[in-house]
Structure formats: structure tokens, C-alpha cells
Amino acid sequence: MKKQLAVLMAAATAVTTVAPVVANAATINTSRADALAKVQEALKVRYTDPAVTGLMGKNSLVTNGKEFMNSVYKFAVKVDGKYQKAEKDDVTFIKSDDYAGLSLSDIESILDSAVLTGKQVEIEKYDKGFRKVGDNIFANQYASFQRYAIDGKDDNDVQTIKYMITKALYIDGKTKPDYLDKIIYDDKSYELKKIGNTPVLSLEGVNSVTSANAVALNTADAETINKDVAGGEKIQPVNLSKVLKLKLKSGVEIVINEKENFVLNFLAAVDKDGKVHNLFAKNAGNGYADKIVDFGKVETKDGEISSYDIATHPEVIDTYIVQQYNAVYNVKDIYTVADGYTAKGADFVNNMIDAIAEPIIKDGKLNPNAKEFNFDGKRYIVSVDKNSVKNAKLVKEGDKAVFYVTADVIAKNDVETMGADVKAIQNKITKQVIRIEADSELEASTVQRDIANGNKVVAKRRNVLAGADRFKTAIEISKSAYEKDGSADAIVLVGQYSTVDGLAAAPFAKKANAPILLSQYKKIDADTIAEIKRLIGKNSAKKVYIIGGENTISKDVEKQLIDELNIRSERIEGKDRFETSRKLAATIVGKTQAGQMNKAQKVFVVGAEAEPDAMSASAVAARDNAPIVVVPKTQLDTASKVFLNNISDAKTKAFLIGGVNSASEQVRKDLVALSNLVNVKRVAGSDRQETNAAVINEFYSDKTKAPGLFVAKSDTKSLVDALAAGPVAGNAGVPIVLATNALTDSQKMAVRNHVVNYKTQADKGYAQIFEVGMGINSAVMSAIYNILGL
């Protein structure tokens, strides 16, 4: 069932991050198997003494053969934030510090219980405290790593040393314990001697006590001794900048003042076998003298022992978050910022929304409208918990963004077997956890939001219209606009380098219900021939319009159309690009019955070298059946003046597209000076992308927003890739956005204001995004999807 549901429902996960108990604690999101493996590995690290737990009080010793209690680590488990302890098959609530920890089987039982309800499990790993000496591991309360206070008046705190040596190492200052081999100071061996009642360290094997062979244990001792030493010799106190250490019979050397001073805890001497001995209560003559390897250490203050109770409370060092789930789904199979929803993804989201709306059992009966999922020949009835989707928290787990939802699930064949037995069906329904994971937070949040808000989605909001070259890109655009064979009324054929001719032809192509395809100079490539054949076939009433003169597309192409397809062609050409654009414009405007030119409601004027400006305007011109007239950059030529006057009257609006670098100020003045053309407006920005934003702002409504957009590269060399987009975008009523590497702020604002957003137009569906050609930076697409809430 788990595997089936994983593919069936595909899910994602959101886990609440748990704050670590201590600063260096780690929170690790992991799977059940990995978490149990970590527990098993940790429980193998044990104290040398098999009876020791490392804990205090009633839990200080291992009982009932529970070997896991001997581990240096202890585990506690929380389910939904509450500590639990497994007792056989029961789960009871407890406090984290109220027991010696859980065994591996205990943790497995809790996980098994939690998975039925889809609850999150937190496995806390505690460090009880331990210290390694050689191959042995001892409990921390016997050998703490904590630092101890030293006398604030005297950084050397000689009282600590005096107490240790006189009261502990030499019991009552008289007898050297059997476990002690030597006292080493400044790399020399010393033994305890007395001058009067004052103890001093004297070189081993030397009978007399002089300044040459002895040191006092503190400044006060030195002053007292100096009064009694013959000849007034000065015995110096122990200098703690020199190393003082104990060499034990076991061969272990314990450094006393290498870094800090402390008093050794002789209540807790540890032997090689991990046993602990109280050396205040016993001398070293009980068979363990040569086994002592370590001591506990006791905090002192102003030379006085404050406490022997140095056991540390266990601290959480790791927390393993186990969000158990029965199904996993990767969002990259559903939705990506770059491509929108896949067909599989749209089905998944829409089915999940339906599964939220309908429970499996309704009004005491099996709900006939409950959502069914099919997988691997088996059918399942599923009801998704709406709150689990709505309240799902998106979190980062490694390099994934995840969230979790829960669902009631039952196999359809189980339902059919039970018939009308609703109670049996109810008992058979299981709670399943679904994990949905994505490579980005944006993608995961998009899917989560759509499901939670009940936003039915469609596949491929963004459509990539791109081929291996400009010819194939034009074919892809054609196929997207004319999916049905034979659905075009004509073909508009443009030379592969004739960008301006092609853009001027955009409104003509839209009016002719024809796609724009590209041709090489001397021939049409095989793929384009196949697309022409698909759209026109052998219909003799349809034809191919060749745009431009024989210097752009040779007569060989006309012959190829006849030889290979038996299709007639018509060439629309002028002696230059200006005349070609006028002839195209004339066909759009048309003539009256008297043979006079009709008056255009709107006309677009672009400079001869302003391909990007023409691209921005081509979709608008195609949408509005308005001609595009190409003029010289510096001033209007006479033929253009005459033509524009002929198609204009007082109602005609002329738009000069682009700044003065595209069409000079003189061109604008020439337009204003025309007798029939009284409404002239320049639409421009500081560069091609700013002009693009200005065109969108001018010609698309902020109330009735465009249902999508086309995105094309803005560099001049790549504009031809998107040549065929003009009539298709015009027919769809959507703008063309020009951006290769990044959107400008003006373009972002234009898209935000003039293209539908899921929030404002959810009832009308999402914006359809078309990316034309390859090489548009993903940052451009991500920005658009962010703006539109897609």
C-alpha cells in the first residue's frame, strides 16, 4: 500500500523545526530508517562497567538486563510535542528526565503507533556524560570535564594544592596511598615531608629539607619554614606555572596544573575495569592499587570544597525529526517555475482538491462522490484532510522544500467486498501521510497554495515555443496556433534575415489567418515544407505569401513550392523595406468600392533599423488590424508622407514607436505636419526594454487584463527567433515582453498591471505564458511567475 500510494498520490512534507535544547545541539530531519540506524549505532557506545548507566539516583545502575541503559547516550521520544514511553504495546506520556531512556524496540513501537495518525515524531538524543581513558569509557559524574572555580584573590590558588596533597594523597598527612607512585614537580620526583607541623615537598631520597631540594605548598608555609631553616635559607612556594602531576602505580600521569587548578575527588577514583572507589574510606591495600587510572574533580572556591556532587544533567545533543509518510511526490513532476504544471501535475492538484471536498463516509453512507484514484490496476478512495493542507508549514529539509498533508484512504476492492457494511468500511479506512517535496520553496508553495485554496489548474501555463534553430522555432509557434491540420488559410513566408519585413507582416498574417514561417534565400528547408503541407495541403484556394523582393527570397523558392507542393505563391514586395511595409499596410487597410484607400483607425510607425521597437508593436498591430509602416530613421520620405496621408483622417491615431535613436525628432515633426494626420504620439523609453514596457502600458488595459503574454529575447540578433510570435500574440490579445537576461523595473510593473493574476482573475484561469526561442535567462521567467503569482 505504501508504495502504491506513493505513486498514486505523490506528496510533500512540512515539518516544524524544533529548537535545540543546547547551543550545539543539532536538529536533523530524516527518514524512519535513518533515524533508527542512528539510534542503533549510538546505543552500541557503552560504559566499561556493564552495571553503570551514567545517570544519578534510582537510574544509576542497569536493571533487568536492559543493556541499552548502559549506553553513554539516552533517547527520549516526543509525539506531537509530548514525551512518550513504550510499555509493551501501550504508549504513555512521561517526562524526559524521569527514566533511563528508551530501547531501540521502544522507539520502533512509538513510530509504529504514530504512523497510523500521521503524527510527527521527535527522537531526542542525550549525552549522559562520559570520559575515555585508554580503551575504557567512564561515567561523567566520576570525571567531569567542567572547569572549576579558583581563588579569586590568588590565581595560583595554592590552597587547592595543599588540600589535595595533605588531606587526600597523604591521608592525615602521614601515609602515602599504595596507588600513588610519585609526585612530580618541574620534572623532578618529590615526597611529602614536614618542618614542624608544616608540610613541604622534598626531593625524593633526600633526608634534609633545604631551599635546594624543597618547595612549600603555599606562601604562608614558606614564611613559616624560612624561620626554621638553618642559615636563613629561603624555600620558595610551589610555582603553578611549572607542571605539577601525579604518577599512579597504574602508570597513568594526572596533570594537576597544566591549564587549571582543581581538587581531585577521592570519593570517585576509577579503576581500569570502570569500577569506582571511595579513597577517603579505604586505603589502597585492597587489590586495586595498581588499577586506579582517574579521579573525579571537585569544584573549589577560595580553597574550600563546595560540593562533591558534580554529575551533569544529560543534555540533548541531537534531535531526529521523523515525519512518517506513506506517499512521496516530487513537485518537479508536477510543477516548475520554468514550465508551469505538467499534465500529470494538473491532474494531481485537481484530484487533491476534489478529494478535500468529499469525505469517504457521508451522512452515514459510503459517499458516491468520494474521489477515486487509480494505480497499477487497483483503485483507491481518498479523502484529503483540508486543514492539513491549509496549515501545512513549508520547511527546508536539506536541499528540498517540503510540506506534509494527511488523507483517509481505503482500497476500492475492500469497499466492494464489504458492501453496505459502513462500520466495517470505517474501520478499514487508514490515515496516510503524504509528503510533497520540491527543489525550490516557490514551487512547493505554489502547489500547496493551489490545493489549499481550491484553485483548479491547467497543464502548461507556460508553453515553450522553441526549436533547434529559427526555422524550427517558427514551426513550433505555428503548431501552437494551428493545432488542427489544414486550419490555416494561408502561409506568410519571410526571409530568415528579413526581421523588419516579417514584423511589418504581423498584422497582415493575422488578417490572412496565416502563420509566419521562415525561408532560406534559395530554398525552404524540409521541416518547413512539411509544416506548409500540413496547414495547406492540396487546397488550391490557399496560397503562400512571400514577403520581400528576390534579394531576400529568390525565385527558386517559388519554383520549389510548385515542384514539391503544387502550391501557388504571391509575392508582396517593394524596392526597399519602406515600400514593402507600405504594400503590406495597403492590404490591411483595403480600398473602397471607388478604389480609394480606406482610412485606418490606428497606424504604427517604426524606424527602418528599429527591429526591437517593431517587435513590441507587432502584437498590438496584429490585435487591432492596424498597419505597421517602416520609415527612414532621419526623416519621412515623400512616398511615406503620401501613403500616410492617404490612409489617415482626423480620427486616425498614429503612434511613433521608439526613441529618437530609432526614429528622429524630425520624423515626429514630419508626422505632425501631415495634413490628414492630426493625432501623433511617440511611445518610447530610454532603451528597447523600456520602450517595450511603454508599449504594454499604452495599449493593454489595467482593468480588462491580457490573459497571458509572450516572452522573447531582446537582443537584435535573436529577434528573428520570435518573428512568428507577432500574429499569434495579436490573435490571443496578449503582449510580447522583450528580455534576454533580466526584466527592468518598468517591465515588471507593466506585467503586474496589465496581465491577469491568479488572485484577481482566479475564475478566469491562469495567465498563459509563452516563451519564444531558447536562451532566455531563467531569472526572467522566475520574475514573471512571481509577479503573476504563478
Side-chain angles (χ1 to χ4, degrees), residues 458-469:
V458 295
K460 290 189 178 296
R461 294 181 196 164
R462 167 198 174 208
N463 297 269
V464 180
L465 305 176
D469 53 37

Side-chain angles (χ1 to χ4, degrees), residues 72-92:
V72 302
Y73 300 109
K74 147 184 159 175
F75 288 91
V77 174
K78 288 181 181 178
V79 177
D80 277 0
K82 296 181 179 180
Y83 287 105
Q84 293 193 319
K85 182 177 181 180
E87 296 289 355
K88 295 183 179 178
D89 295 328
D90 296 327
V91 175
T92 56

Side-chain angles (χ1 to χ4, degrees), residues 131 144-150 155-166 168-170 179-180 182-188 190 201 217 238-248 252-266 292-298 300:
R131 185 178 185 187
S144 175
F145 283 117
Q146 72 183 81
R147 296 301 184 186
Y148 303 99
I150 52 179
D155 288 342
N156 291 330
D157 193 11
V158 293
Q159 293 297 320
T160 299
I161 302 299
K162 180 178 180 180
Y163 180 88
M164 177 186 66
I165 295 177
T166 60
L169 291 178
Y170 289 78
Y179 59 80
L180 180 63
K182 295 177 181 179
I183 299 173
I184 300 173
Y185 175 66
D186 197 18
D187 291 329
K188 298 176 183 178
Y190 285 78
L201 293 177
L217 294 178
V238 171
N239 180 356
L240 295 186
S241 65
K242 298 178 181 179
V243 176
L244 175 65
K245 56 188 176 182
L246 307 178
K247 184 175 181 181
L248 307 182
V252 173
E253 290 185 350
I254 297 178
V255 177
I256 302 300
N257 61 314
E258 184 176 33
K259 294 182 179 178
E260 304 244 8
N261 300 316
F262 48 79
V263 172
L264 296 181
N265 178 6
F266 295 95
I292 301 300
V293 294
D294 201 9
F295 299 97
K297 298 172 180 64
V298 180
T300 65

Side-chain angles (χ1 to χ4, degrees), residues 309-376:
D309 183 13
I310 64 171
T312 56
H313 184 78
E315 292 183 330
V316 176
I317 57 173
D318 289 320
T319 298
Y320 306 122
I321 304 296
V322 183
Q323 177 67 59
Q324 303 193 105
Y325 44 86
N326 308 86
V328 182
Y329 206 89
N330 197 318
V331 171
K332 70 182 180 182
D333 296 326
I334 302 174
Y335 169 86
T336 63
V337 171
D339 298 318
Y341 277 100
T342 63
K344 179 180 178 181
D347 287 343
F348 168 73
V349 169
N350 295 337
N351 287 342
M352 287 286 282
I353 292 170
D354 290 341
I356 289 173
E358 299 291 347
I360 297 175
I361 303 296
K362 187 175 183 179
D363 299 329
K365 300 178 182 179
L366 181 67
N367 182 5
N369 297 319
K371 189 64 182 175
E372 295 186 7
F373 288 79
N374 186 57
F375 171 72
D376 203 19

